[in-house]
Amino acid sequence: MKKIYEGKTKDVFELENGNVMLKFKDDCTGKDGVFDPGENSVGLTIEGIGKANLQTSIHYFELLKEAGIKLTM
C-alpha cells in the first residue's frame, strides 16, 4: 500500500490491486477551533467526523455507480 495523497481531512492510498483506499480523518477545516468548511487549514478535531465524511462519500460514489459513471485514476 502506497500513500499517494495526504490531505487535511483524508489520505489516499494506492492498493496493489490498482484500487485506491480513502482514509478519512477526524480533522476539520476551520479557524481558532471553529468549524469552517471554507478555511484552508485544519482548525479542530471532531470525533466521528471522519466516519460521517466516509458515509457521505459512499453515498455519492453509489450515485455515480447507479448513473453508469466509471471512476478511473
Side-chain angles (χ1 to χ4, degrees):
M1 183 166 52
K2 174 184 167 189
K3 186 186 287 186
I4 57 175
Y5 175 80
E6 184 171 349
K8 295 179 287 294
T9 60
K10 74 182 127 330
D11 294 333
V12 181
F13 296 87
E14 182 177 9
L15 304 178
E16 290 180 15
N17 64 5
N19 290 327
V20 294
M21 179 181 75
L22 305 176
K23 182 179 179 194
F24 290 84
K25 304 174 187 179
D26 284 340
D27 294 337
C28 301
T29 55
K31 188 173 182 179
D32 299 326
V34 178
F35 172 69
D36 182 351
E39 274 294 320
N40 197 26
S41 60
V42 172
L44 68 156
T45 298
I46 300 173
E47 187 175 336
I49 197 73
K51 185 175 182 178
N53 287 335
L54 169 63
Q55 292 168 335
T56 300
S57 293
I58 289 170
H59 173 74
Y60 284 106
F61 282 124
E62 289 295 327
L63 290 175
L64 292 169
K65 182 179 176 182
E66 289 171 14
I69 298 171
K70 293 190 179 208
L71 303 173
T72 60
M73 203 170 95

